[in-house]
């Protein structure tokens, strides 16, 4: 006799590798143990989820949770609360904390601080620097390591590798897929006079499409030379999409909901410095190209680039205002709204947020609703209409660029390895976050 399930989620439309269909999901010991009509199965508990859709747990492969050192903006606990409230089961967190995450010690301190304190599962990028190139093979292998992240252009924090000899050495040293912020530092410095004090509409003029394209082309050239996998974060321009679409072998592509949803100049007129991020939100021509990349498969994953800053930091006059906006809690509802508007299919969303991360980063046991996989599930109500507000924002900074935005489609449940991290807007009392496991680490 097989053991009873711990929980059966009964009657939802399950969206997985098989398409979309009504199936029951049986969970035992945190894993998917049944996927069928389970009406006759023994179980400790049943949840009736008829009318809802169950997606493989959404992985947000780019967030900044600011701990240690910048916890006035966010910490691992507050950021992960926002994540699971928005339907996100796992995050890859960025190394521009204080101290920077660039060593085995700073990485293991983050893992220790996150375990059973974060509400979602987690991995931490290790910043690639000029100094730690020799350590890269070891840093890539550590428990909780998402691999190496490099800033090729300056953004928030002190991580920067802008010279080709060091970039060449880093790319040749990696064996896992490494992530890059691709903006060309020399061009950014040369164009600084184009910033108009008090006018954030000059942000995309300063950090122009050419700055992004130069860096992306340099990076892909190095990746092809060394036959290494690189992941180009937050692609923002039509020119990069065209280039990356013709260079698929070694480079993968992230786009953000912000770049797909907001447009210049409108966003700067409406939101001022609250729309300021790096690389910038640009005009409609670029946004259309990002949507074309969603349609034709050039885009591999979505990352929110959740980058919280306090209102005080955002309220400085441009360009002293900080770059970045929150996004981890709104990724799913904003994208479901796009699904409902017919801009992408639910299957494509799952490809971007679950299958894509699993394929690119080699996740063990995640990213798929299939027997034996972690019971990581994002449960959504495609028919529910809600208005996103600052008051809902669980990020410590307490604001979202989508305040007042009406969306159709809402996350109503987040299961992380079978734990109910959020259900119908209620957060779990206890956090159970654990390091995401990778085939090429640990
Ligand atoms: O706008 C941004 N904010 N872009 C980045 O690359 C970093 C981020 C942050 O950490 O604030």
């Amino acid at each position: 006799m097989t053991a009873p399930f711990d929980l059966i989620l009964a009657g939802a439309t399950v969206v997985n590798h098989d398409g979309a269909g009504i199936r029951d999901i049986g969970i035992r010991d945190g894993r998917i143990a049944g996927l069928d009509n389970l009406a006759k199965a023994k179980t400790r508990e049943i949840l009736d989820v008829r009318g809802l859709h169950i997606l493989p747990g959404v992985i947000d492969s780019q967030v900044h949770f600011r701990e240690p050192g910048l916890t006035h903006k966010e910490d691992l606990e507050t950021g992960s609360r926002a994540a699971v409230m928005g339907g996100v089961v796992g995050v890859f967190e960025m190394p521009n904390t204080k101290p920077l995450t660039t060593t085995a010690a700073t990485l293991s301190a983050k893992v220790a601080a996150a375990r059973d304190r974060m509400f979602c599962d987690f991995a931490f990028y290790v910043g690639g620097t000029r100094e730690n190139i020799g350590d890269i093979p070891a840093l890539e292998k550590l428990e909780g390591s998402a691999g190496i992240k490099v800033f090729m252009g300056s953004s928030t924090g002190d991580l920067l590798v802008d010279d080709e000899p060091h970039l060449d050495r880093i790319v040749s040293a990696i064996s896992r897929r490494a992530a890059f912020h691709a903006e060309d530092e020399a061009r950014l410095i040369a164009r600084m006079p184009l910033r108009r004090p008090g006018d954030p509409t000059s942000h995309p003029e300063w950090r122009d499409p050419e700055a992004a394209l130069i860096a992306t082309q340099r990076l892909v050239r190095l990746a092809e030379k060394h036959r290494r996998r690189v992941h180009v974060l937050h692609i923002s321009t039509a020119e990069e999409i065209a280039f990356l679409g013709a260079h698929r072998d070694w480079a993968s592509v992230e786009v953000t909901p912000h770049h797909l949803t907001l447009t210049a100049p409108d966003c700067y007129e409406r939101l001022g410095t609250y729309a300021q991020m790096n690389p910038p939100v640009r005009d409609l021509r670029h946004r259309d190209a990002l949507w074309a990349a969603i349609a034709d498969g050039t885009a591999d994953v979505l990352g929110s680039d959740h980058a919280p800053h306090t209102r005080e930091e955002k309220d400085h006059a441009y360009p002293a205002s900080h770059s970045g906006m929150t996004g981890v809690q709104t990724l799913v509802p904003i994208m479901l709204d796009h699904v409902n508007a017919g801009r992408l299919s639910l299957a494509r969303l799952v490809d971007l947020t679950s299958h894509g991360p699993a394929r690119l980063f080699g996740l063990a046991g995640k990213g798929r609703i299939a027997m034996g996989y972690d019971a990581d599930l994002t449960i959504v109500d495609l028919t529910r209409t809600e208005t996103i507000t600052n008051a809902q924002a669980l990020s410590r900074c307490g604001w979202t660029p989508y305040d007042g935005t009406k969306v159709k489609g809402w996350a109503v449940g987040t299961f992380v390895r079978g734990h109910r991290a959020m259900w119908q807007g209620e957060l779990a009392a206890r956090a159970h976050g654990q390091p995401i496991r990778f085939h090429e680490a640990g």
Side-chain angles (χ1 to χ4, degrees):
M1 251 226 1
T2 48
F5 295 112
D6 299 323
L7 174 67
I8 289 176
L9 297 167
T13 300
V14 173
V15 185
N16 68 358
H17 50 274
D18 199 19
I22 294 188
R23 307 215 189 326
D24 302 329
I25 299 177
I27 298 173
R28 192 184 301 120
D29 298 332
R31 293 185 184 245
I32 295 168
L35 187 62
D36 204 343
N37 179 341
L38 301 175
K40 295 204 173 80
K42 289 210 172 64
T43 181
R44 298 200 168 85
E45 193 185 350
I46 294 187
L47 209 52
D48 180 354
V49 280
R50 279 175 297 177
L52 301 176
H53 283 70
I54 304 187
L55 318 181
V58 168
I59 311 268
D60 185 344
S61 45
Q62 191 185 175
V63 303
H64 302 263
F65 281 176
R66 310 301 194 196
E67 181 177 336
L70 298 163
T71 53
H72 62 288
K73 304 177 200 270
E74 194 76 287
D75 67 30
L76 296 171
E77 198 174 325
T78 56
S80 67
R81 277 209 185 101
V84 298
M85 186 59 96
V88 169
V89 304
V91 294
F92 294 7
E93 204 268 348
M94 286 295 168
N96 55 342
T97 46
K98 268 191 177 163
L100 300 169
T101 315
T102 53
T103 61
T106 47
L107 172 65
S108 69
K110 270 193 178 177
V111 171
R115 214 185 277 276
D116 289 326
R117 185 164 150 259
M118 285 181 69
F119 285 79
C120 59
D121 284 349
F122 52 82
F124 297 109
Y125 272 112
V126 179
T129 68
R130 293 186 181 86
E131 291 73 36
N132 69 2
I133 299 176
D135 303 330
I136 284 177
L139 292 168
E140 284 185 324
K141 293 274 179 299
L142 297 173
E143 183 188 34
S145 168
I148 301 300
K149 153 79 182 276
V150 176
F151 283 89
M152 297 170 71
S154 306
S155 191
T156 303
D158 299 328
L159 279 171
L160 178 67
V161 182
D162 58 345
D163 65 290
E164 185 145 337
H166 282 99
L167 285 168
D168 186 285
R169 285 180 54 203
I170 290 175
V171 172
S172 104
I174 57 174
S175 59
R176 289 175 66 182
R177 187 180 297 275
F180 290 79
H181 179 124
E183 287 185 286
D184 182 64
E185 182 69 5
R187 189 166 173 97
L188 296 183
I189 292 171
R191 295 174 66 84
M192 272 184 174
L194 294 177
R195 303 184 298 182
R196 292 186 292 279
D199 180 4
T201 64
S202 59
H203 195 60
E205 295 170 35
W206 166 39
R207 303 181 86 111
D208 71 341
E210 190 65 17
L213 182 65
I214 292 170
T216 291
Q217 288 181 329
R218 168 178 294 148
L219 173 63
V220 172
R221 186 162 35 77
L222 294 176
E224 290 179 343
K225 171 179 162 193
H226 294 291
R227 302 174 65 81
R228 296 290 192 271
R229 290 164 292 171
V230 297
H231 183 53
V232 201
L233 298 162
H234 40 44
I235 293 299
S236 62
T237 69
E239 287 73 16
E240 286 171 285
I241 290 294
F243 175 75
L244 289 162
H247 294 81
R248 296 293 286 159
D249 290 358
W250 299 100
S252 55
V253 174
E254 178 198 74
V255 292
T256 80
H258 301 321
H259 291 102
L260 289 169
T261 307
L262 305 174
T263 41
D266 158 78
C267 66
Y268 300 104
E269 283 154 13
R270 259 183 331 109
L271 302 167
T273 54
Y274 286 70
Q276 176 191 333
M277 69 177 291
N278 304 327
V281 175
R282 307 186 191 278
D283 64 25
L284 199 55
R285 180 175 75 84
H286 295 290
R287 191 176 79 173
D288 286 347
L290 300 181
W291 277 110
I294 297 285
D296 69 16
T298 305
D300 291 290
V301 294
L302 279 177
S304 74
D305 195 7
H306 176 82
H309 297 286
T310 64
R311 285 175 184 281
E312 194 206 330
E313 291 162 340
K314 291 301 272 183
D315 285 340
H316 294 311
Y318 183 82
S321 41
H322 294 205
S323 290
M325 28 182 153
T326 59
V328 72
Q329 191 176 341
T330 48
L331 182 150
V332 171
I334 287 288
M335 293 311 298
L336 291 178
D337 190 64
H338 288 310
V339 168
N340 270 316
R343 294 187 191 102
L344 79 167
S345 68
L346 206 49
R348 181 64 172 124
L349 180 60
V350 167
D351 182 53
L352 289 162
T353 53
S354 302
H355 299 164
R359 172 171 53 83
L360 296 190
F361 300 104
L363 308 183
K366 287 199 185 296
R368 213 165 137 85
I369 299 180
M371 287 294 276
Y373 271 68
D374 288 354
D376 284 355
L377 305 168
T378 298
I379 307 182
V380 304
D381 184 345
L382 282 179
T383 65
R384 181 152 155 192
T385 299
E386 287 277 345
T387 301
I388 296 172
T389 65
N390 287 335
Q392 293 158 354
L394 293 181
S395 172
R396 175 159 292 143
C397 72
W399 61 271
T400 158
Y402 304 108
D403 181 51
T405 301
K406 199 168 146 194
V407 290
K408 186 170 176 193
W410 200 250
V412 297
T414 310
F415 283 69
V416 183
R417 283 172 293 98
H419 296 290
R420 206 170 309 189
M422 184 275 283
W423 178 242
Q424 296 292 359
E426 291 284 323
L427 281 172
R430 279 189 48 212
H432 297 279
Q434 293 295 323
I436 292 172
R437 294 165 300 120
F438 297 89
H439 296 134
E440 297 173 86

